[in-house]
Amino acid sequence: DGGITQSPKYLFRKEGQNVTLSCEQNLNHDAMYWYRQDPGQGLRLIYYSQIVNDFQKGDIAEGYSVSREKKESFPLTVTSAQKNPTAFYLCASSLRPGQGPGGANVLTFGAGSRLTVL
Amino acid sequence: SQKIEQNSEALNIQEGKTATLTCNYTNYSPAYLQWYRQDPGRGPVFLLLIRENEKEKRKERLKVTFDTTLKQSLFHITASQPADSATYLCALNTGGFKTIFGAGTRLFVKA
């Protein structure tokens, strides 16, 4: 059963702590993404990776870090430098642009991880 | 700056009626536009995609229109059912890796 698995579903962090959110996919997708979702706002892109050992900053990368050592995995670390980390975090994957249905970049999302700062 | 606007007010309709959701965008020339469904506490799920040179796309009870002159897409659900209740997200992409999402419109279908 192909898909994206995010863990943990819920996470609580104390001020000053780093936390890492896991994202694993078995869809054989080259591209992976991390989005942040806040109430009343659209999804905002944090980081994305086009291929293994490569990643680019999105629109709100400050206070976050990622790695892409394996095609299947794209973990996100929320560092203590992120001033307002409480949010719903979504991981997604896709084929490379041009390879999707009709060349479109269709995203497959995980179930999300909700991070709360205490 | 690039902006996508969806009606922030929830849409309440009666079962069996057609739901129509609006997506407007500015300062953007998308290659295609997508609609996703998101249930509470879950990730979005892809529904439909329409290209810049297409006027209309259908899939079962779903219909999407795309007017690049008005910079607007309409998303219709015909014969709506309570199971259609969810938040619907509009998303734009110019053909690269970055996809920009609207905040979504919440739909409630009453039995």
Side-chain angles (χ1 to χ4, degrees), chain A residues 49-103:
Chain A
S49 168
Q50 302 177 35
I51 202 166
V52 174
N53 294 323
D54 170 83
F55 49 83
Q56 269 84 46
K57 292 182 179 180
D59 301 316
I60 55 166
E62 185 175 351
Y64 300 97
S65 66
V66 293
S67 63
R68 186 87 187 275
E69 297 176 2
K70 297 188 301 181
K71 186 174 185 177
E72 301 79 16
S73 179
F74 191 42
L76 173 74
T77 297
V78 185
T79 74
S80 57
Q82 170 50 235
K83 299 305 178 190
N84 185 22
T86 294
F88 189 50
Y89 290 87
L90 288 160
C91 179
S93 71
S94 75
L95 295 169
R96 295 177 64 79
Q99 294 181 330

Side-chain angles (χ1 to χ4, degrees), chain B residues 38-103:
Chain B
Q38 186 175 23
D39 291 287
R42 305 301 301 270
V45 175
F46 170 74
L47 295 174
L48 271 177
L49 176 150
I50 187 166
R51 301 192 154 283
E52 60 180 333
N53 60 352
E54 297 175 319
K55 297 291 186 186
E56 182 179 298
K57 207 74 170 286
R58 292 175 184 261
K59 179 182 177 182
E60 298 172 352
R61 293 184 297 111
L62 307 180
K63 185 177 87 171
V64 172
T65 63
F66 194 13
D67 189 326
T68 54
T69 301
L70 291 178
K71 294 188 183 296
Q72 181 181 79
S73 174
L74 299 179
F75 177 79
H76 307 272
I77 305 175
T78 59
S80 59
Q81 305 165 0
D84 295 326
S85 299
T87 296
Y88 291 87
L89 309 178
C90 168
L92 299 178
N93 187 292
T94 55
F97 283 93
K98 288 191 176 182
T99 300
I100 297 177
F101 286 83

Side-chain angles (χ1 to χ4, degrees), chain B residues 13-19 37 61 77-86 88 107-111:
Chain B
I13 64 169
Q14 200 68 33
E15 183 177 10
K17 300 293 185 183
T18 296
R37 169 183 171 141
R61 293 184 297 111
I77 305 175
T78 59
S80 59
Q81 305 165 0
D84 295 326
S85 299
Y88 291 87
L107 172 66
F108 292 98
V109 181
K110 290 175 18 177

